[in-house]
Amino acid sequence: MATPYTRRNFLKTSSVMAVSAAGGLLTVGCGGGDSGSDELLPLVNPYYTQAVHGPYERISIGRLELAEGGVLPNCELAVATFGTLNADKSNAILIPTWYSGTSKIMEQVYVGPDHALDPSKYFIVIVNQIGNGLSTSPHNIGGALGGPNFPKVRISDDVRAQHRLLTEHFGIRSLALVVGGSMGAQQTYEWAVRYPDMVKRAAPLAGTACNTEHDFLFTKTLKDALSSDPGFDAGRYDLPEDVAAGLGRHAKMWTVMGWSTEFFRLNRHRALGFDSLRAFVDGFMIPYFAPMDPNNLLAMAWKWQRGDVSLLTGGDKAAALGRIKAKVFVMPFSTDMFFPPSDCLAEQVLIPNSAFRPITTVDGHLGLFGTDADAIAQVDLNLRELLALPA
Ligand SMILES: CCOC(C)=O
């Protein structure tokens, strides 16, 4: 097996094949000879590919100025579409993605002829959020903005980028529905507040419009779990495997907060095929996050912490939520420990034309992954009702 190259060495060679510790082949971009600079090259991580997450198409929306002052010179969004846009372009549904997720899990769990999100009726556009590894992200941008130098991206930046994509690339000016889970819910709220005339219906699942201090702290501990690993090396690690300890701690914290105490008391992990909590952590939670790029996760975590629609209204949450013209079903998951129903209800009462539709499940926040078929059936029932409401 070839000695795995480190990224720093790539600048000295035009193009190399490296073999990751996991045995996957990593193909790196051309180094352009020995530039002598310490720029990071884009690294093709085998996890963030069509083979794992396809089909999707990478569409450039050009230069994206960011709310925090940075810029993405050429922002590319990875997009998966299902169904056909009708003649008057009135049947478009947008689905943004959540932390660590891609368009693939949204397709697998929420889209299909047996779901409310039925491609035979709607043109469904799933847009991968910036930083998630398929769209422009720390691990794939390369150059001076690569890795730890990736600029700070906010929820509003994703939503403006998605708006440019839909209006300029697809010619879509009306959305029958925007629906997303967790960080996808944060983007859903941002869409409904920022573009009230475009969004006809909105369904935030297991997420809030304004992140809470508790959730900010939870996400800070996730970030610390990654960055405190010496292998992280201030974000200049070579491969995710170099940060395996941090990714493992991050996975264990997700195990604690992402499910629920009921989930374990009722042995739901056994129902999922794991005969112990330890086996569930070692066999599912750690392997799920292990191939992911830590700088990508940190970029999304920074964004997640600062989800706040009131930035548009000088900090006035009621004014922001009052801007919404869409019909809204607020759909928390009943045992969610970081976007609890109580936090979601406190926002829903501020939204005109809205209803509070909690989803009953013992699987907590990560019930979003589709582990509880009944929870997804409840989501479908509510989405069918919402889609049947007149715009
Ligand atoms: C699992 C998805 O979680 C978030 C915060 O997006």
Side-chain angles (χ1 to χ4, degrees), residues 98-99 181-183 254 304 338-339 365-366 369:
W98 58 55
Y99 176 84
S182 201
M183 283 190 76
W254 263 104
W304 160 13
F338 46 91
F339 294 114
H365 187 67
L366 295 181
F369 284 17

